[in-house]
mmCIF file of all heavy atoms in Angstrom:
data_model
loop_
_atom_site.group_PDB
_atom_site.id
_atom_site.type_symbol
_atom_site.label_atom_id
_atom_site.label_comp_id
_atom_site.label_asym_id
_atom_site.label_seq_id
_atom_site.Cartn_x
_atom_site.Cartn_y
_atom_site.Cartn_z
ATOM 1 N N GLY A 93 -2.668 -23.975 -2.817
ATOM 2 C CA GLY A 93 -1.950 -22.906 -2.138
ATOM 3 C C GLY A 93 -1.046 -22.138 -3.086
ATOM 4 O O GLY A 93 -0.566 -22.669 -4.083
ATOM 5 N N GLY A 94 -0.828 -20.862 -2.761
ATOM 6 C CA GLY A 94 0.027 -20.006 -3.569
ATOM 7 C C GLY A 94 -0.665 -18.744 -4.014
ATOM 8 O O GLY A 94 -0.105 -17.952 -4.766
ATOM 9 N N GLY A 95 -1.881 -18.519 -3.523
ATOM 10 C CA GLY A 95 -2.623 -17.301 -3.841
ATOM 11 C C GLY A 95 -3.116 -16.645 -2.573
ATOM 12 O O GLY A 95 -3.451 -17.336 -1.608
ATOM 13 N N ALA A 96 -3.150 -15.316 -2.567
ATOM 14 C CA ALA A 96 -3.660 -14.583 -1.398
ATOM 15 C C ALA A 96 -4.053 -13.168 -1.803
ATOM 16 O O ALA A 96 -3.457 -12.592 -2.716
ATOM 17 C CB ALA A 96 -2.616 -14.523 -0.295
ATOM 18 N N PRO A 97 -5.032 -12.614 -1.109
ATOM 19 C CA PRO A 97 -5.396 -11.217 -1.354
ATOM 20 C C PRO A 97 -4.401 -10.286 -0.662
ATOM 21 O O PRO A 97 -3.762 -10.665 0.326
ATOM 22 C CB PRO A 97 -6.784 -11.101 -0.720
ATOM 23 C CG PRO A 97 -6.799 -12.139 0.351
ATOM 24 C CD PRO A 97 -5.898 -13.249 -0.118
ATOM 25 N N PHE A 98 -4.281 -9.081 -1.187
ATOM 26 C CA PHE A 98 -3.467 -8.052 -0.532
ATOM 27 C C PHE A 98 -3.991 -6.687 -0.939
ATOM 28 O O PHE A 98 -4.733 -6.548 -1.903
ATOM 29 C CB PHE A 98 -1.972 -8.206 -0.864
ATOM 30 C CG PHE A 98 -1.599 -7.894 -2.287
ATOM 31 C CD1 PHE A 98 -1.013 -6.689 -2.626
ATOM 32 C CD2 PHE A 98 -1.825 -8.815 -3.300
ATOM 33 C CE1 PHE A 98 -0.657 -6.405 -3.941
ATOM 34 C CE2 PHE A 98 -1.469 -8.551 -4.617
ATOM 35 C CZ PHE A 98 -0.881 -7.332 -4.935
ATOM 36 N N VAL A 99 -3.615 -5.685 -0.170
ATOM 37 C CA VAL A 99 -4.085 -4.317 -0.384
ATOM 38 C C VAL A 99 -2.889 -3.413 -0.636
ATOM 39 O O VAL A 99 -1.868 -3.523 0.055
ATOM 40 C CB VAL A 99 -4.889 -3.830 0.850
ATOM 41 C CG1 VAL A 99 -5.326 -2.392 0.688
ATOM 42 C CG2 VAL A 99 -6.098 -4.733 1.093
ATOM 43 N N VAL A 100 -3.010 -2.529 -1.621
ATOM 44 C CA VAL A 100 -1.953 -1.562 -1.909
ATOM 45 C C VAL A 100 -2.246 -0.262 -1.162
ATOM 46 O O VAL A 100 -3.297 -0.111 -0.542
ATOM 47 C CB VAL A 100 -1.802 -1.324 -3.432
ATOM 48 C CG1 VAL A 100 -1.371 -2.613 -4.129
ATOM 49 C CG2 VAL A 100 -3.075 -0.787 -4.038
ATOM 50 N N SER A 101 -1.323 0.680 -1.232
ATOM 51 C CA SER A 101 -1.428 1.902 -0.436
ATOM 52 C C SER A 101 -2.672 2.729 -0.747
ATOM 53 O O SER A 101 -3.161 3.456 0.112
ATOM 54 C CB SER A 101 -0.165 2.759 -0.601
ATOM 55 O OG SER A 101 0.010 3.108 -1.957
ATOM 56 N N SER A 102 -3.222 2.609 -1.954
ATOM 57 C CA SER A 102 -4.442 3.342 -2.310
ATOM 58 C C SER A 102 -5.687 2.726 -1.683
ATOM 59 O O SER A 102 -6.767 3.294 -1.764
ATOM 60 C CB SER A 102 -4.611 3.370 -3.829
ATOM 61 O OG SER A 102 -4.852 2.053 -4.316
ATOM 62 N N GLY A 103 -5.532 1.539 -1.077
ATOM 63 C CA GLY A 103 -6.665 0.843 -0.484
ATOM 64 C C GLY A 103 -7.284 -0.187 -1.410
ATOM 65 O O GLY A 103 -8.186 -0.920 -0.999
ATOM 66 N N GLU A 104 -6.816 -0.264 -2.653
ATOM 67 C CA GLU A 104 -7.345 -1.247 -3.593
ATOM 68 C C GLU A 104 -6.864 -2.646 -3.222
ATOM 69 O O GLU A 104 -5.716 -2.824 -2.833
ATOM 70 C CB GLU A 104 -6.873 -0.941 -5.020
ATOM 71 C CG GLU A 104 -7.434 0.329 -5.588
ATOM 72 C CD GLU A 104 -6.805 0.631 -6.937
ATOM 73 O OE1 GLU A 104 -7.328 0.097 -7.952
ATOM 74 O OE2 GLU A 104 -5.822 1.375 -6.979
ATOM 75 N N ARG A 105 -7.766 -3.626 -3.358
ATOM 76 C CA ARG A 105 -7.423 -5.017 -3.066
ATOM 77 C C ARG A 105 -7.133 -5.748 -4.372
ATOM 78 O O ARG A 105 -7.807 -5.534 -5.380
ATOM 79 C CB ARG A 105 -8.564 -5.706 -2.320
ATOM 80 C CG ARG A 105 -8.165 -7.089 -1.792
ATOM 81 C CD ARG A 105 -9.289 -7.785 -1.050
ATOM 82 N NE ARG A 105 -10.207 -8.390 -2.008
ATOM 83 C CZ ARG A 105 -11.514 -8.215 -2.018
ATOM 84 N NH1 ARG A 105 -12.087 -7.453 -1.116
ATOM 85 N NH2 ARG A 105 -12.274 -8.806 -2.913
ATOM 86 N N PHE A 106 -6.156 -6.631 -4.311
ATOM 87 C CA PHE A 106 -5.767 -7.460 -5.445
ATOM 88 C C PHE A 106 -5.582 -8.888 -4.960
ATOM 89 O O PHE A 106 -5.547 -9.144 -3.758
ATOM 90 C CB PHE A 106 -4.439 -6.965 -6.057
ATOM 91 C CG PHE A 106 -4.555 -5.644 -6.746
ATOM 92 C CD1 PHE A 106 -4.378 -4.466 -6.034
ATOM 93 C CD2 PHE A 106 -4.848 -5.570 -8.100
ATOM 94 C CE1 PHE A 106 -4.491 -3.231 -6.659
ATOM 95 C CE2 PHE A 106 -4.963 -4.348 -8.736
ATOM 96 C CZ PHE A 106 -4.780 -3.177 -8.023
ATOM 97 N N GLY A 107 -5.437 -9.793 -5.905
ATOM 98 C CA GLY A 107 -5.054 -11.165 -5.593
ATOM 99 C C GLY A 107 -3.700 -11.450 -6.214
ATOM 100 O O GLY A 107 -3.447 -11.054 -7.356
ATOM 101 N N LEU A 108 -2.841 -12.096 -5.459
ATOM 102 C CA LEU A 108 -1.524 -12.504 -5.932
ATOM 103 C C LEU A 108 -1.524 -14.007 -6.107
ATOM 104 O O LEU A 108 -1.994 -14.737 -5.228
ATOM 105 C CB LEU A 108 -0.449 -12.105 -4.909
ATOM 106 C CG LEU A 108 0.970 -12.630 -5.157
ATOM 107 C CD1 LEU A 108 1.542 -12.050 -6.449
ATOM 108 C CD2 LEU A 108 1.864 -12.315 -3.968
ATOM 109 N N GLY A 109 -1.003 -14.478 -7.231
ATOM 110 C CA GLY A 109 -0.872 -15.903 -7.472
ATOM 111 C C GLY A 109 0.540 -16.239 -7.906
ATOM 112 O O GLY A 109 1.107 -15.545 -8.745
ATOM 113 N N ILE A 110 1.103 -17.275 -7.310
ATOM 114 C CA ILE A 110 2.451 -17.744 -7.631
ATOM 115 C C ILE A 110 2.346 -19.199 -8.069
ATOM 116 O O ILE A 110 1.690 -20.005 -7.411
ATOM 117 C CB ILE A 110 3.388 -17.669 -6.403
ATOM 118 C CG1 ILE A 110 3.424 -16.270 -5.800
ATOM 119 C CG2 ILE A 110 4.790 -18.183 -6.760
ATOM 120 C CD1 ILE A 110 4.061 -15.209 -6.649
ATOM 121 N N SER A 111 3.044 -19.547 -9.154
ATOM 122 C CA SER A 111 3.080 -20.934 -9.595
ATOM 123 C C SER A 111 4.417 -21.214 -10.263
ATOM 124 O O SER A 111 4.936 -20.378 -10.996
ATOM 125 C CB SER A 111 1.940 -21.222 -10.572
ATOM 126 O OG SER A 111 1.963 -22.579 -10.973
ATOM 127 N N GLY A 112 4.943 -22.383 -10.003
ATOM 128 C CA GLY A 112 6.190 -22.809 -10.615
ATOM 129 C C GLY A 112 6.962 -23.778 -9.752
ATOM 130 O O GLY A 112 7.778 -24.551 -10.232
ATOM 131 N N GLY A 113 6.702 -23.738 -8.453
ATOM 132 C CA GLY A 113 7.334 -24.675 -7.537
ATOM 133 C C GLY A 113 6.308 -25.662 -7.014
ATOM 134 O O GLY A 113 5.226 -25.811 -7.578
ATOM 135 N N THR A 114 6.640 -26.324 -5.923
ATOM 136 C CA THR A 114 5.644 -27.139 -5.236
ATOM 137 C C THR A 114 4.652 -26.194 -4.571
ATOM 138 O O THR A 114 4.899 -24.981 -4.480
ATOM 139 C CB THR A 114 6.296 -28.018 -4.156
ATOM 140 O OG1 THR A 114 6.849 -27.150 -3.143
ATOM 141 C CG2 THR A 114 7.384 -28.919 -4.729
ATOM 142 N N THR A 115 3.564 -26.719 -4.094
ATOM 143 C CA THR A 115 2.598 -25.874 -3.394
ATOM 144 C C THR A 115 3.267 -25.150 -2.236
ATOM 145 O O THR A 115 3.069 -23.945 -2.046
ATOM 146 C CB THR A 115 1.403 -26.709 -2.897
ATOM 147 O OG1 THR A 115 0.761 -27.303 -4.028
ATOM 148 C CG2 THR A 115 0.408 -25.862 -2.140
ATOM 149 N N GLU A 116 4.072 -25.861 -1.472
ATOM 150 C CA GLU A 116 4.742 -25.263 -0.314
ATOM 151 C C GLU A 116 5.703 -24.160 -0.751
ATOM 152 O O GLU A 116 5.793 -23.109 -0.112
ATOM 153 C CB GLU A 116 5.484 -26.330 0.492
ATOM 154 C CG GLU A 116 4.582 -27.334 1.175
ATOM 155 C CD GLU A 116 4.010 -28.411 0.232
ATOM 156 O OE1 GLU A 116 4.505 -28.562 -0.924
ATOM 157 O OE2 GLU A 116 3.054 -29.083 0.638
ATOM 158 N N GLU A 117 6.420 -24.387 -1.860
ATOM 159 C CA GLU A 117 7.347 -23.367 -2.360
ATOM 160 C C GLU A 117 6.588 -22.147 -2.869
ATOM 161 O O GLU A 117 6.990 -21.001 -2.610
ATOM 162 C CB GLU A 117 8.223 -23.950 -3.478
ATOM 163 C CG GLU A 117 9.230 -24.960 -2.971
ATOM 164 C CD GLU A 117 9.872 -25.788 -4.074
ATOM 165 O OE1 GLU A 117 9.273 -25.937 -5.172
ATOM 166 O OE2 GLU A 117 10.981 -26.294 -3.828
ATOM 167 N N ASP A 118 5.489 -22.376 -3.574
ATOM 168 C CA ASP A 118 4.676 -21.259 -4.060
ATOM 169 C C ASP A 118 4.153 -20.428 -2.890
ATOM 170 O O ASP A 118 4.171 -19.192 -2.941
ATOM 171 C CB ASP A 118 3.495 -21.767 -4.889
ATOM 172 C CG ASP A 118 3.901 -22.356 -6.232
ATOM 173 O OD1 ASP A 118 5.075 -22.225 -6.630
ATOM 174 O OD2 ASP A 118 3.020 -22.966 -6.880
#
Side-chain angles (χ1 to χ4, degrees):
F98 69 102
V99 177
V100 297
S101 60
S102 66
E104 293 174 86
R105 189 180 80 232
F106 291 88
L108 172 64
I110 305 293
S111 181
T114 65
T115 299
E116 293 77 14
E117 290 166 336
D118 290 350

